[in-house]
């Protein structure tokens, strides 16, 4: 039988011990202390020894957890630079108005959240009063990622400082009539206030990490010095369960992002109940962040706990705090002193004796009220420590009570996230608790009044003076007037007009070649931000490595294995390429930071994020909505697109639906270009619209989504004639006719219109030839560069008609007079081309790649889905047969001929 106390093997066993006798003495000393003074004393001495070792520069692994007490003792807290009493009054007004706003809105059934801000009020107020830099100094200030459910408190503060009025508060969550306030931080809905949308939980943390990183990138590349900008992310402890919340923690520590601070409101509750009912969320998060290389500051207990900790000579209190599960801590919040004496202190004889020295009031003060996140001095100390720490990001774990100051009906109750209002009596009790000068008579017809000390009151003057000293109001979003970026020389775009001759070029490569030319532009080249998730070689981008460099804050500290090659792997502190590794979520977060730099920093940059198309909208669509909500600008490029084009990769790589998902996002301009010259035209227009001299009625706050393919094919020359450029941008133009293609068909031959997008146009062109040569049918081929833009234009025409305005959809204009039925085909599910069906006057049908993808050759996959040239021919004949323009037998004959 194995001895459970036997010494387990250690990694140290493989290292030589030059003095085993000395080692044995140290171990014996530890055993002696443990036996004589107890394990707590032994642990205390070990901790002190480790601290001393760290101070002396001795390299030792760090502990992942510390005791469940504050990192900064009361004796070490710095003096608060401000009027604490005044700040307490300001916070009281904000607490009141946040609760009043939600309660008043509840009569309209619009809901709202009260408890989150109630718990986090001092976390925000301390920052606003002392730390958060505004934009009126250098135009960037600090970047604040506000926890979505705390938005009523931010509105309340904006009401106090005069940026919002009562009409705004009364329209919380009611935006349709004007003067409304969005439920959560939504820059698209309130663009002068909110910078970052955060309520899709998990996206705030990862976005904050990449924002901090992008700030360093802009500084390193000499675009803007953001040394003084700090990123603050306010998060919930329950929110940390989202995978995106922790996905980039090691990136932040690896790159030493000491310009980043996470403030996690540990109120121990998520939406339905305790975050870690049977465990300790604070200890779990501490271990997670310490293990990821972050500096951790815990602010758990208020000053009232100092007396208890001083009485803890045996370590029993600290030990008990560590072992009590979170759900039980919540229970203590709602129970009387007798219960706490028995359940908390009664578990250990030493604690029983301690409790005899404590009054019931002292016990209730500690367990009901005294939390580190509710004391501004402790929050202030934590923030100061975060800003002082260099070389790594900081996380502040602040323990609070969800529903604090709202009354016993709210505090720590499992259901408080769903509780939307207070009664009049509860408001009166809250008024007394906060000591606010609101009279009973101010409650008219049972409605709670808003409270305001007056525009010229000491509170408002103090608030505004503090914000002025810190650089202006916060949060705030500013779009500083900047001159439009000059358009690159036409040469970069027109180079594609002649086609590729006999050379086969994939449209993915055509896009990369275009970018290579554009980044050389003297005026705007340095503003391009290439973003790629570790697939640059797949997309043929390795040629950019030595010329642009891959961004790394450390530069290149090694000799690359391919240094003697022309396209070697080059990293540089001022590198232009952001190679994010295998993280689509991280790449999207970086893209969002770059795409909104024009507003966040007053410095427009041109990001393009190129990725496997299947791993874009399907995988990170929530972030694409975040991008639209944050009014981002740039190019998303879904490469290796299509369900049949990426040979052999199979189901999880076969994208047959991303344009469907993209079509749901109003800010996304979705294009599926077939040819290199189309890509050039779309990118040129995108640069003009997003960064150039856009027309007054154009929405610049859009982003472009292009699907490009990895199938090398001949790139044709751009057709001559009017309407081609307009058609490329609006979504449809005639590429050729049977006659212009040099195909002959009988006089009065049946005619059909073939619409193809992306790589599918090549199948349509082959089908055009087969139809003419083998079936006597004339087909015209159209390039449908954007089914989505055609649909949006048609929807706008429908809306105009309802207003009494006559307007013909562009798709109908383009196809007007085109003979015969229309057959549309793409490398996507039929739902993509079917977007335009109701506005096409001709008989309309479509082919697509519905169903799951599969591993096959391109030819076999296209035959499987029925979209190859031969399948198009059979479908075209079937359409014409239904119209009586070819014999029905021709359809069967074609199926047999082509083996379908």
């Amino acid at each position: 039988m194995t001895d459970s106390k036997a010494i387990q093997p250690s990694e140290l066993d493989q290292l030589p011990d030059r003095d085993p006798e000395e080692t044995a003495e140290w171990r014996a000393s530890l055993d002696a202390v443990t036996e004589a003074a107890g394990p707590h004393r032994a642990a205390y001495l070990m901790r002190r020894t480790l601290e001393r070792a760290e101070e002396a520069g001795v390299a030792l692994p760090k502990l992942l957890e510390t005791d469940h007490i504050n990192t900064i003792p009361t004796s070490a807290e710095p003096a608060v630079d401000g009027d604490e009493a005044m700040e307490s009054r300001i916070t009281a007004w904000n607490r009141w108005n946040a609760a009043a706003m939600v309660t008043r809105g509840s009569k309209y059934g619009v809901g709202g959240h009260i408890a989150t801000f109630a718990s986090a009020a001092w976390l925000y107020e301390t920052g606003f009063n002392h730390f958060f830099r505004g934009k009126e100094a250098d135009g960037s200030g600090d970047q604040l990622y506000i926890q979505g459910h705390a938005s009523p408190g931010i509105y309340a503060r904006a009401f106090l400082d005069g940026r919002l009025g009562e009409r705004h508060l009364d329209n919380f969550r009611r935006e349709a009539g004007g003067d409304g306030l969005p439920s959560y931080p939504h820059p698209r809905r309130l663009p002068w206030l909110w910078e970052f949308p955060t309520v899709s939980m998990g996206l705030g943390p990862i976005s904050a990490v990449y924002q901090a990183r992008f700030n360093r990138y802009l500084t390193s590349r000499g675009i803007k010095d953001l040394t003084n900008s700090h990123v603050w992310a306010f998060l919930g402890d329950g929110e940390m369960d989202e995978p995106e919340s922790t996905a980039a923690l090691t990136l932040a520590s690896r790159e030493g992002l000491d310009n980043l601070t996470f403030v996690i409101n540990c109120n121990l509750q998520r939406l339905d109940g305790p975050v870690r009912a049977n465990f300790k969320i604070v200890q779990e998060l501490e271990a997670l962040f310490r293990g990821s290389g972050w500096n951790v500051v815990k602010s758990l207990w208020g000053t009232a706990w100092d007396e208890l900790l001083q009485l803890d000579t045996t370590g029993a209190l600290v030990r008990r705090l560590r072992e009590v599960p979170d759900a039980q801590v919540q229970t203590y919040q709602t129970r009387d002193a007798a219960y706490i004496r028995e359940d908390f202190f009664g578990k250990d004889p030493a604690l029983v004796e301690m409790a005899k020295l404590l009054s019931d009031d002292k016990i209730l003060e500690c367990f009901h009220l005294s939390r580190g996140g509710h004391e501004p001095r402790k929050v202030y100390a934590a923030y100061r420590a975060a800003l002082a720490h260099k070389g790594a990001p900081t996380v502040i774990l602040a323990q609070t009570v969800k529903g604090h100051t709202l009354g016993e009906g709210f505090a720590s109750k499992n259901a408080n996230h769903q509780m939307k209002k207070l009664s009049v009596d509860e408001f009166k009790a809250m008024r007394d608790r906060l000591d606010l000068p609101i009279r009973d008579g101010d409650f008219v017809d049972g409605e709670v009044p808003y409270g305001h000390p007056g525009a010229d009151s000491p509170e408002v003057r103090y608030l505004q003076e503090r914000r002025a000293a810190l650089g202006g109001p916060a949060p705030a979003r500013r779009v500083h007037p900047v001159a439009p970026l000059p358009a690159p020389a036409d040469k970069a775009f027109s180079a594609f007009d002649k086609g590729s001759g006999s050379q086969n070029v994939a449209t993915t490569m055509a896009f990369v070649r275009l970018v290579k030319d554009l980044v050389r532009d003297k005026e705007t080249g340095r503003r391009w931000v290439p973003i790629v998730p570790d697939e640059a070689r797949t997309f043929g981008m390795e040629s950019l490595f030595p010329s642009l460099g891959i961004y790394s804050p450390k530069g290149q500290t090694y000799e690359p294995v391919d240094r003697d090659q022309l396209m070697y792997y080059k990293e540089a502190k001022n590198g232009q390429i952001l190679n994010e590794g295998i993280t689509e979520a991280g790449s999207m977060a970086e893209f969002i930071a770059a795409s909104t730099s024009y507003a966040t920093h007053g410095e427009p940059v041109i990001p393009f994020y190129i990725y496997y198309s299947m791993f874009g909208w399907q995988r990170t669509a929530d972030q694409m909505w975040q991008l639209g909500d944050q009014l981002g600008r740039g190019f998303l490029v879904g490469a290796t697109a299509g369900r049949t084009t990426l040979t052999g990769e199979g189901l999880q790589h076969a994208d047959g639906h991303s344009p469907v998902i993209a079509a749901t996002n109003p800010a996304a301009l979705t294009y599926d270009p077939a040819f290199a010259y189309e890509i050039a035209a779309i990118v040129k227009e995108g640069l003009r619209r997003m960064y150039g001299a856009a027309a007054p009625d154009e929405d610049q706050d859009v982003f472009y989504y292009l699907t490009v393919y990895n199938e090398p094919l001949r790139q044709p020359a751009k057709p001559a004639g009017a309407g081609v450029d307009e058609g490329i941008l609006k979504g449809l133009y005639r590429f050729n006719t049977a006659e212009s293609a040099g195909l002959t068909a009988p006089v009065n031959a049946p005619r059909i219109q073939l619409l193809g997008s992306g790589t599918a146009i090549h199948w349509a062109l082959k089908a055009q030839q087969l139809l003419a040569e083998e079936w006597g049918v004339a087909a015209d081929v159209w390039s449908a560069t954007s089914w989505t833009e055609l649909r949006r234009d048609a929807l706008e025409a429908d809306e105009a008609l309802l207003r009494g305005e006559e307007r013909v959809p562009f798709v109908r204009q383009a196809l007007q007079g085109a003979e015969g039925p229309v057959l549309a085909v793409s490398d996507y599910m039929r739902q993509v081309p079917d977007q335009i069906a109701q506005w096409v006057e001709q008989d309309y049908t479509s082919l697509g790649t519905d169903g799951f993808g599969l591993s096959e050759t391109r030819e076999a996959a296209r035959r499987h889905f029925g979209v190859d040239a031969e399948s198009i021919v059979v479908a075209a004949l079937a359409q014409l047969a239904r119209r009586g323009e070819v014999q029905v037998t021709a359809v069967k004959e074609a199926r047999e001929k082509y083996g379908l």
Side-chain angles (χ1 to χ4, degrees):
M1 192 171 183
T2 304
D3 182 0
S4 62
K5 294 185 179 180
I7 298 175
Q8 297 297 312
S10 164
E11 70 273 10
L12 296 178
D13 292 340
Q14 59 192 307
L15 303 177
D17 187 344
R18 69 180 186 181
D19 193 342
E21 184 176 345
E22 181 184 38
T23 303
E25 289 175 358
W26 274 80
R27 297 177 75 157
S29 297
L30 178 62
D31 292 342
V33 170
T34 303
E35 184 176 349
H40 173 71
R41 180 61 181 169
Y44 180 84
L45 291 175
M46 289 298 298
R47 287 277 303 281
R48 285 299 194 187
T49 303
L50 289 173
E51 285 180 4
R52 181 58 184 154
E54 186 172 351
E55 292 168 0
V58 177
L60 286 173
K62 294 188 176 183
L63 295 175
L64 292 184
E65 289 185 43
T66 59
D67 290 329
H68 196 67
I69 57 177
N70 295 346
T71 302
I72 305 171
T74 301
S75 59
E77 292 170 3
V80 177
D81 179 21
D83 186 333
E84 295 180 64
M86 182 69 73
E87 292 173 17
S88 182
R89 292 202 297 274
I90 291 170
T91 303
W93 284 116
N94 292 337
R95 287 182 182 278
W96 176 272
N97 287 321
M101 178 195 330
V102 176
T103 297
R104 286 167 68 119
S106 66
K107 67 183 178 182
Y108 301 107
V110 294
H113 300 280
I114 302 178
T116 296
F117 178 73
S119 67
W122 277 116
L123 304 180
Y124 292 108
E125 294 296 318
T126 302
F128 287 129
N129 289 329
H130 300 282
F131 294 96
F132 303 157
R133 297 174 65 252
K135 293 182 173 295
E136 294 177 1
D138 63 4
S140 288
D142 289 351
Q143 288 81 60
L144 308 180
Y145 288 78
I146 305 294
Q147 192 178 2
H149 294 122
S151 61
I154 309 305
Y155 290 140
R157 193 169 220 273
F159 170 64
L160 201 65
D161 71 14
R163 292 193 291 167
L164 293 175
E166 287 194 16
R167 71 184 188 284
H168 297 107
L169 303 192
D170 269 342
N171 283 315
F172 174 59
R173 291 194 168 193
R174 295 194 300 146
E175 300 177 75
D179 288 336
L181 299 179
S183 52
Y184 303 122
H186 286 303
R188 187 167 286 276
R189 291 300 182 204
L190 203 61
W192 61 268
L193 180 72
W194 297 119
E195 276 197 289
F196 308 108
T198 54
V199 81
S200 189
M201 288 189 283
L203 300 192
I206 192 171
S207 296
V209 170
Y210 280 91
Q211 182 67 58
R213 181 176 189 245
F214 188 71
N215 289 359
R216 289 283 172 85
Y217 171 87
L218 289 180
T219 301
S220 297
R221 293 199 52 227
I223 292 176
K224 186 171 185 178
D225 185 356
L226 296 169
T227 305
N228 293 324
S229 278
H230 199 84
V231 178
W232 301 82
F234 290 84
L235 318 169
D237 46 1
E239 181 179 7
M240 299 309 295
D241 285 346
E242 291 284 4
E244 294 89 352
S245 295
T246 57
L249 297 186
T250 52
L251 166 71
S253 60
R254 183 170 66 247
E255 299 204 356
L257 298 181
D258 50 24
N259 60 337
L260 170 67
T261 298
F262 277 15
V263 181
I264 302 182
N265 178 17
C266 297
N267 57 34
L268 313 186
Q269 286 183 258
R270 53 190 181 199
L271 307 189
D272 289 333
V275 176
R276 292 289 183 273
N278 297 295
F279 306 93
K280 307 286 288 185
I281 186 60
V282 168
Q283 298 303 100
E284 180 182 323
L285 291 176
E286 179 183 27
L288 173 67
F289 279 90
R290 283 186 181 276
S292 298
W294 286 53
N295 175 46
V296 179
V297 177
K298 294 194 290 189
S299 184
L300 308 181
W301 309 107
T303 307
W305 281 84
D306 289 351
E307 180 182 341
L308 276 68
L309 291 170
Q310 288 299 311
L311 294 173
D312 186 29
T313 57
T314 65
L317 176 63
V318 170
R319 190 163 55 248
R320 182 68 177 135
L321 287 174
R322 184 183 182 89
E323 69 187 20
V324 176
D326 283 351
Q328 192 63 23
V329 174
Q330 298 295 80
T331 299
Y332 294 149
Q333 178 71 33
T334 64
R335 298 300 180 90
D336 59 20
Y339 178 89
I340 298 171
R341 284 182 186 278
E342 178 181 352
D343 191 85
F344 181 84
F345 291 98
K347 304 295 184 181
D348 187 293
L351 293 180
V352 171
E353 294 303 311
M354 179 188 294
K356 292 178 181 178
L357 303 175
L358 303 174
S359 68
D360 285 356
D361 287 345
K362 183 65 175 180
I363 288 174
L364 293 179
E365 180 187 12
C366 289
F367 285 84
H368 283 195
L369 302 174
S370 190
R371 299 289 188 275
H374 295 323
E375 293 193 12
R377 277 180 169 258
K378 296 197 177 298
V379 176
Y380 183 91
Y383 287 4
R384 279 277 172 241
L387 294 180
H389 187 82
K390 300 302 177 185
T394 294
V395 60
I396 296 169
L397 303 175
Q399 186 165 254
T400 67
V401 174
K402 195 167 185 178
H404 182 61
T405 74
L406 296 179
E408 295 181 0
F410 266 83
S412 291
K413 295 298 176 68
N414 283 339
N416 62 20
H417 190 79
Q418 281 71 37
M419 297 162 69
K420 312 298 183 186
K421 60 183 177 179
L422 295 170
S423 68
V424 169
D425 288 341
E426 287 172 323
F427 265 110
K428 290 179 179 179
M430 181 183 178
R431 170 200 62 190
D432 297 340
R433 195 176 304 117
L434 298 176
D435 193 25
L436 289 172
I438 296 174
R439 301 166 301 177
D440 286 353
D442 293 334
F443 292 82
V444 179
D445 297 328
E447 184 166 78
V448 58
Y450 295 121
H452 199 293
D456 195 39
S457 64
E459 292 91 339
V460 172
R461 289 201 305 273
Y462 180 87
L463 182 156
Q464 293 175 341
E465 288 168 2
R466 297 301 303 181
R467 289 311 315 158
L470 287 166
R477 181 179 181 274
R478 299 284 187 271
V479 180
H480 298 275
V482 293
L485 295 182
D490 275 343
K491 181 181 178 181
F493 304 105
S494 61
F496 294 88
D497 290 352
K498 295 179 181 180
S500 61
S502 60
Q503 182 184 10
N504 288 338
V505 177
T507 51
T508 297
M509 183 56 68
F511 176 82
V512 172
R513 287 185 183 179
L514 175 62
V515 170
K516 285 176 65 176
D517 290 338
L518 292 175
V519 295
R520 296 192 187 103
D521 184 83
K522 292 181 180 180
E523 296 289 338
T524 60
R526 74 188 190 104
R527 293 189 177 272
W528 281 87
V529 180
I531 300 171
V532 59
D534 201 37
E535 287 283 3
R537 297 182 193 277
T538 301
F539 309 136
M541 293 176 60
E542 64 268 31
S543 61
L544 296 177
F545 290 170
S547 59
L548 299 185
I550 300 166
Y551 169 73
S552 170
K554 289 185 175 293
Q556 194 151 37
T557 61
Y558 59 92
E559 183 177 352
V561 67
D562 54 358
R563 183 62 181 86
D564 58 344
Q565 297 179 16
L566 180 63
M567 294 184 288
Y568 71 97
Y569 195 82
K570 177 187 175 183
E571 296 187 80
K573 291 182 179 179
N574 64 345
Q576 194 164 349
I577 300 170
L578 289 167
N579 192 309
E580 300 299 351
I582 304 175
T583 168
E584 287 82 10
S587 300
M588 267 307 303
E590 192 83 75
F591 181 83
I592 292 170
S595 70
T596 53
S597 178
Y598 74 93
T600 306
H601 299 306
E603 289 287 349
V605 297
I606 310 167
F608 76 88
Y609 165 35
I610 187 169
Y611 52 88
Y612 263 94
S613 64
M614 186 68 162
F615 304 142
W617 285 92
Q618 172 170 295
R619 191 164 198 155
T620 57
D622 196 11
Q623 288 178 289
M624 272 99 170
W625 278 98
Q626 181 189 10
L627 167 65
D629 197 5
Q630 201 167 317
L631 294 87
R633 304 171 185 173
F635 296 95
L636 295 177
V637 184
T640 59
R643 183 151 276 161
T644 70
T645 305
L646 187 59
T647 55
E649 292 285 354
L651 187 152
Q652 285 191 311
H653 286 65
D655 173 21
H657 52 275
S658 68
V660 177
I661 308 174
T664 66
N665 191 310
L669 305 186
T670 303
Y671 286 89
D672 187 26
F675 305 125
Y677 66 80
E678 293 177 351
I679 293 173
I682 294 164
V683 171
K684 181 180 180 181
E685 170 65 6
L687 291 174
R688 182 201 66 79
R689 179 166 177 179
M690 295 186 292
Y691 301 98
D697 61 341
E698 282 185 303
D699 182 5
Q700 285 189 277
D701 299 322
V702 296
F703 58 94
Y704 282 67
Y705 173 52
L706 282 72
T707 46
V708 293
Y709 300 81
N710 73 326
E711 184 175 14
L713 294 165
R714 187 183 68 83
Q715 296 296 320
K718 183 178 180 179
V724 173
D725 288 334
E726 180 187 26
I728 291 173
L729 301 179
K730 290 193 172 182
L732 183 68
Y733 69 96
R734 182 154 43 198
F735 175 72
N736 70 13
T737 64
E739 293 75 14
S740 67
L743 301 171
T744 58
V747 178
N748 298 323
R751 186 172 289 271
I752 190 168
Q753 308 299 318
L754 301 180
L755 277 57
S757 69
T759 196
I761 201 169
H762 296 279
W763 322 331
L765 288 169
K766 182 179 178 182
Q768 179 190 44
Q769 182 179 356
L770 293 174
L771 283 166
E773 295 176 354
E774 300 182 6
W775 304 99
V777 173
D780 299 338
V781 176
W782 300 69
S783 179
T785 55
S786 180
W787 310 100
T788 301
E789 288 305 297
L790 290 172
R791 175 178 175 81
R792 287 176 177 168
D793 173 79
L795 289 172
E796 290 174 4
D798 287 354
E799 292 172 4
L801 190 62
L802 294 176
R803 296 192 300 267
E805 304 170 17
E806 279 295 332
R807 194 180 138 195
V808 179
F810 180 79
V811 63
R812 188 170 294 168
Q813 294 178 45
L815 290 171
Q816 187 174 16
E819 298 178 31
V822 171
L823 175 59
V825 61
S826 79
D827 205 8
Y828 297 95
M829 57 196 299
R830 290 177 62 182
Q831 189 173 340
V832 175
D834 283 352
Q835 291 181 86
I836 66 170
Q838 73 188 76
W839 294 281
V840 176
E841 293 181 315
Q842 294 88 340
D843 293 339
Y844 185 93
T845 192
S846 64
L847 297 175
T849 55
D850 291 72
F852 289 110
L854 75 164
S855 300
E856 255 300 351
T857 64
R858 292 186 181 114
E859 294 75 14
R862 288 161 186 168
R863 176 57 58 89
H864 169 80
F865 285 108
V867 293
D868 60 351
E870 292 78 6
S871 298
I872 294 173
V873 168
V874 172
L877 293 174
Q879 264 189 296
L880 293 169
R882 284 194 294 271
R883 294 162 58 94
E885 297 181 24
V886 301
Q887 295 295 320
V888 175
T889 56
V891 181
K892 180 180 179 182
E893 183 182 345
R895 283 202 301 266
E896 293 173 350
K897 178 180 178 70
Y898 301 131
L900 297 179

